[in-house]
Amino acid sequence: MFPTGGKKKDVTTPRICAVVWHNGEFIKWGDARVHVMSHVLHYGSSVFEGIRCYATKRGPAIFRLREHMQRFLNSAKIFRMDHEWTMDDFCEASVELVRRSGLEQCYIRPILFRSLDEERPAFGVNPFPNPLACYIGAWDWGKYLGDEAIEKGVDVCVSSWNRLTPNSLPAMAKSGANYMNSQLIKMEALLNGFAGGIALDDRGYVSEGSGENIFLVSNDVVNTPPLSSSVLPGITRDSVIQICQELGIAIKERSIQRAALYVADELFFSGTAAEITPIRSVDHISIGSGGRGEITARIQKVFFEITSGERQPPGSWLTYVREQRAHAPEQRSASAGDNGRQSESKGVPEARVSPAAAPELVARTHAVAAE
């Protein structure tokens, strides 16, 4: 009766890094566990990031690592998650994680959340009694909206679900709780046969996708909703803006009406997971020629030239893993963890996990959302 394709699978995950960074040290993937009564599981008290590492001729290169980690720190600050880690701690941990993974390309997921003090558990909404736990994992993730989407584009709908109002939950923070809204948008789209959804803000103006920022091209001008439209300040979004400026393409931040989507010359999504993905139709209305537009193709070409290391970016956008100094992980006390146990960080092999060797690890990552 209803389409079920969206229920069955997410992006294929062929390989997973066998180690995870946890509160300052590296532990085995299988030892990264959370107590079922942790605050985060009941109240969504987490902030996270999504960062891509690309394969280049100079080896793995992490895309805009410091900018992502600054947003990670900002998200934690907004939710009053006071912690001891610094920008350099998170950046060095990410570089070392990729180095240990042996992967040439991967997706990096830092997450900071309210856990559980098992000796003095607290179960209420008040988050302050609960300790913080931080993890960084990595896996090889394909094209989020499908391999063909980059060239042919995707079909999307305008969601019946609005984006959160800025004074209800902060849209500029990348928090787990916000992504319940994203899940509603995504599920509705998938069950109705679309690849994704576009949400409006509380005033009825275009906001963003379930995990992507959006750009509209009209009369050779690239437009994107302002942050005031409950938009996450996307790192890829900022990259597109800078690429447009470098190419001499007019770029404007402005409020966009829903109807403007239907009559646009071109539309495309941007995001760490989506990268630059053309939109070929909205609500079954063909956009432009019904495929990837000329300006979208130009921006996309430059973006992938930069991420592959073939083109000089506007700034220091690539962190080449093999060219960074190796940092030995600092050993922190067990009290910094989420379960009061000392993590096993010694003797962890630099290995990768395949679906054949551990299919359950792959299955667990399929539920991960990304932007």
Side-chain angles (χ1 to χ4, degrees):
M1 182 176 179
F2 299 106
T4 58
K7 292 184 177 181
K8 293 181 179 179
K9 66 177 182 178
D10 199 341
V11 181
T12 300
T13 308
R15 293 175 296 174
I16 300 171
C17 179
V19 296
V20 174
W21 185 88
H22 173 222
N23 291 354
E25 58 188 14
F26 290 91
I27 64 174
K28 297 176 183 177
W29 173 281
D31 291 336
R33 293 285 184 264
V34 178
H35 195 287
V36 71
M37 298 308 294
S38 292
H39 194 271
V40 63
L41 295 181
H42 298 260
Y43 302 109
S45 47
S46 70
V47 297
F48 68 97
E49 268 304 319
I51 312 168
R52 274 200 188 264
C53 177
Y54 288 90
T56 76
K57 292 181 180 179
R58 291 165 59 181
I62 304 175
F63 185 68
R64 304 197 69 175
L65 175 59
R66 295 191 72 84
E67 290 91 338
H68 279 99
M69 289 308 182
Q70 184 59 62
R71 189 172 66 181
F72 188 48
L73 291 169
N74 291 347
S75 296
K77 185 174 184 179
I78 289 170
F79 280 95
R80 302 178 186 269
M81 293 180 167
D82 299 326
H83 56 84
E84 59 189 90
W85 299 292
T86 66
M87 164 86 75
D88 286 341
D89 289 334
F90 291 137
C91 291
E92 290 167 8
S94 299
V95 168
E96 182 62 21
L97 183 68
V98 175
R99 182 181 286 117
R100 292 184 179 219
S101 75
L103 298 170
E104 290 299 312
Q105 62 183 26
C106 61
Y107 182 91
I108 304 166
R109 169 55 55 83
I111 183 167
L112 177 69
F113 58 86
R114 310 268 186 189
S115 189
L116 178 73
D117 183 341
E118 293 190 40
E119 295 183 1
R120 290 188 244 177
F123 303 116
V125 172
N126 176 14
F128 292 122
N130 300 279
L132 293 174
C134 188
Y135 290 82
I136 306 176
W139 57 89
D140 183 1
W141 220 12
K143 300 300 182 185
Y144 182 60
L145 294 174
D147 291 333
E148 294 185 353
I150 295 297
E151 181 178 350
K152 296 183 178 180
V154 292
D155 302 307
V156 304
C157 63
V158 174
S159 180
S160 66
W161 296 98
N162 284 355
R163 267 302 183 198
L164 302 159
T165 60
N167 211 33
S168 297
L169 277 174
M172 68 180 298
K174 195 172 176 71
S175 69
N178 287 6
Y179 277 74
M180 288 299 289
N181 178 245
S182 297
Q183 289 177 54
L184 290 170
I185 296 164
K186 185 72 172 180
M187 288 187 292
E188 179 185 51
L190 291 175
L191 292 174
N192 284 291
F194 298 98
I198 298 172
L200 307 179
D201 65 17
D202 61 308
R203 303 165 302 161
Y205 289 103
V206 173
S207 179
E208 58 183 4
S210 61
E212 311 87 12
N213 294 121
I214 190 169
F215 289 83
L216 179 154
V217 182
S218 181
N219 296 321
D220 296 329
V221 177
V222 178
N223 304 274
T224 193
L227 298 185
S228 58
S229 287
S230 294
V231 169
L232 179 76
I235 307 303
T236 309
R237 174 183 182 272
D238 177 71
S239 302
V240 169
I241 291 171
Q242 292 194 50
I243 288 170
C244 285
Q245 292 169 342
E246 185 176 87
L247 293 177
I249 299 172
I251 176 80
K252 293 182 179 179
E253 287 185 281
R254 68 175 183 86
S255 297
I256 298 173
Q257 295 184 31
R258 173 178 179 167
L261 297 173
Y262 305 134
V263 297
D265 298 327
E266 305 175 34
L267 292 174
F268 63 90
F269 279 140
S270 74
T272 296
E275 298 171 295
I276 310 293
T277 299
I279 298 170
R280 64 188 179 193
S281 73
V282 180
D283 293 337
H284 300 297
I285 298 175
S286 182
I287 305 303
S289 62
R292 179 176 57 186
E294 181 181 342
I295 290 178
T296 302
R298 288 178 63 194
I299 295 168
Q300 193 184 66
K301 181 175 183 290
V302 171
F303 177 81
F304 286 121
E305 286 176 347
I306 289 172
T307 57
S308 65
E310 298 172 5
R311 183 187 182 108
Q312 185 68 27
S316 300
W317 287 7
L318 296 179
T319 300
Y320 290 94
V321 171
R322 292 175 186 161
E323 299 173 13
Q324 303 299 307
R325 183 169 61 89
H327 294 270
E330 178 185 350
Q331 299 295 316
R332 300 188 187 275
S333 64
S335 60
D338 62 279
N339 53 18
R341 295 177 297 180
Q342 186 65 33
S343 302
E344 298 178 16
S345 60
K346 296 181 180 180
V348 178
E350 295 186 12
R352 55 185 81 166
V353 179
S354 69
E360 71 280 5
L361 299 188
V362 178
R364 278 203 297 272
T365 66
H366 284 173
V368 181
E371 177 159 9

